[in-house]
Each structure stands twice: as C-alpha cells, then as structure tokens.
Amino acid sequence: LVLAIMTSMAGSSRTLYQASVDGWLPKYLSHVNHNGAPTRAMWTDLVFNLVLLLMSDYVVVLAMSNVGYIIFNFLNLNAAWIHRLDRPSWER
C-alpha cells in the first residue's frame, strides 16, 4: 500500500508542479528545493493522501490511487503525442 501511494505521489506531485508552472494551478505548488524536487507539491499530495486514508479503508485508497495514476499517465502520454503532432520537426 505504501509503495503504491509513493509511486502515485511521485508522478502526481511532478504533474501538480508542472501544472502550477504552466499557470493551471496556484503558484504555491511550483516551489522546488535545491535538488529540483517539487517539495510543496509533494507535501500537498501527502496531505491529500493522508486525508483519503483517514476517510476510508485501504483497498479503496489503493484503487483510487491506481486509477489516478493511470489517468495521469494517459494524459501525459497524450500530451506528448499531441506535442509531436504540433511540432514534428523539433528535436526530441
């Protein structure tokens, strides 16, 4: 359970950070530490996951985190594909 939550937090906190940098979410989430890790996005994600853990049983939280992880991966892959369609001559 902890590994599943940590895996989903790694991807979703980076997504929260990038959405904040792009202007879709509050600028609070765009803070990074000296290593480049999005610390405020990770803390926000941790608090959100802890609230979910306190509200329901572990199986529901595990299912919700996995579904969220799959949705974010789907959206990120589609964004990369659309980016390649819009700019086919750009270097990878």
Side-chain angles (χ1 to χ4, degrees):
L1 179 66
V2 173
L3 180 61
I5 291 173
M6 285 175 46
T7 303
S8 66
M9 281 180 56
S12 62
S13 64
R14 184 57 71 170
T15 304
L16 287 173
Y17 161 76
Q18 190 60 47
S20 174
V21 169
D22 292 342
W24 295 349
L25 292 175
K27 289 293 179 190
Y28 166 79
L29 297 170
S30 64
H31 179 266
V32 293
N33 65 6
H34 64 278
N35 294 322
T39 52
R40 291 183 184 162
M42 286 192 292
W43 280 110
T44 304
D45 210 0
L46 177 67
V47 168
F48 181 74
N49 281 322
L50 287 175
V51 168
L52 286 178
L53 277 171
L54 293 174
M55 288 175 51
S56 63
D57 63 355
Y58 298 114
V59 177
V60 173
V61 173
L62 181 61
M64 288 172 38
S65 67
N66 284 328
V67 168
Y69 181 69
I70 289 169
I71 289 171
F72 276 113
N73 273 337
F74 175 75
L75 293 174
N76 286 333
L77 289 172
N78 278 330
W81 177 63
I82 291 170
H83 179 72
R84 293 301 300 161
L85 289 176
D86 288 344
R87 297 167 181 87
S89 61
W90 278 21
E91 207 174 304
R92 291 186 187 203

